[in-house]
Amino acid sequence: RRAAAFKRKRWDRNDQVEPSSVLKPILMCRQFDENESALLSNDTRMAWHRLTTGEGNQDDFDLLANSSNVALVRAESLGEVAVETVLRAQAAIVAMKARYQRTGRFGADAAALQDVPLMMDFYDQLLAYGSPQIMTDALTEVVERINLQRTAAA
C-alpha cells in the first residue's frame, strides 16, 4: 500500500500536460504587437502624467523607476548616447523622490520635464522593437543588480 501511494505521488500517469505550455517559449520570443507595446507604454506615460501633476503615488513612481531601470539595462548594449539619456532621466527621477521625501508630494522639476520624456520615448522604442523575453531578461537583471546593491550595503 505504501509503495503504491509513493508511486502515485512521484508520477501520475493520469496527469494531463498543458498543451499550450509548448508554445510559451515561442510566444516569449516574438516581437510585441502594437496593442501590447501601447498598453505598456500608456501605463508608464500615465504614471508620469500623474507624477507631474502632483496626483501620483508610490506605485506610479515605482512603475516609472522600473521602466527607467529596464531601459538602462537595454541601453547598455546599444551605446553611450542611449545610456546617457537614461542616466539623465534617472537622476531627475531620484530628485523627484527626494522632493517627495521632503514635501510628501511628487512633482517634477525642469530637469525631469526635459529628460524623462526622452527616456520614455526610448522605452517606447524598446517596446516596439523588443520581445517579451528581452524585456523580462532586462527586468531580471535589474532585480539582480538591486539585490547586489542591498547585500553590499548591508
Side-chain angles (χ1 to χ4, degrees):
R1 202 177 258 209
R2 285 185 184 174
F6 177 74
K7 285 181 181 178
R8 275 195 305 271
K9 287 181 186 175
R10 205 172 79 205
W11 180 73
D12 187 2
R13 66 179 177 198
N14 296 323
D15 192 21
Q16 295 292 320
V17 175
E18 177 65 33
S20 64
S21 65
V22 175
L23 299 176
K24 186 175 180 180
I26 295 169
L27 293 174
M28 289 295 288
C29 292
R30 65 165 172 73
Q31 191 172 352
F32 282 112
D33 64 20
E34 288 183 27
N35 291 334
E36 288 174 317
S37 61
L39 181 66
L40 293 169
S41 173
N42 286 340
D43 288 344
T44 304
R45 288 189 178 274
M46 288 306 297
W48 168 245
H49 175 72
R50 286 189 294 271
L51 289 170
T52 57
T53 59
E55 299 170 358
N57 57 26
Q58 188 65 42
D59 291 337
D60 294 326
F61 179 81
D62 290 342
L63 177 61
L64 184 64
N66 285 333
S67 299
S68 70
N69 287 334
V70 168
L72 179 62
V73 169
R74 295 289 298 129
E76 290 170 353
S77 63
L78 298 175
E80 190 61 35
V81 174
V83 171
E84 182 181 331
T85 301
V86 177
L87 286 177
R88 281 197 317 264
Q90 284 188 333
I93 290 169
V94 168
M96 287 176 66
K97 179 71 172 187
R99 172 180 286 179
Y100 172 73
Q101 290 172 340
R102 279 193 321 269
T103 65
R105 206 172 149 169
F106 283 106
D109 58 2
L113 292 172
Q114 179 181 0
D115 296 331
V116 174
L118 293 175
M119 183 276 301
M120 288 191 303
D121 291 341
F122 176 66
Y123 183 71
D124 289 346
Q125 293 299 310
L126 292 174
L127 291 172
Y129 296 107
S131 70
Q133 186 65 49
I134 290 172
M135 298 305 273
T136 302
D137 291 345
L139 184 60
T140 302
E141 175 69 22
V142 167
V143 171
E144 289 174 1
R145 289 181 185 185
I146 290 171
N147 289 337
L148 280 174
Q149 286 179 348
R150 286 182 181 161
T151 56

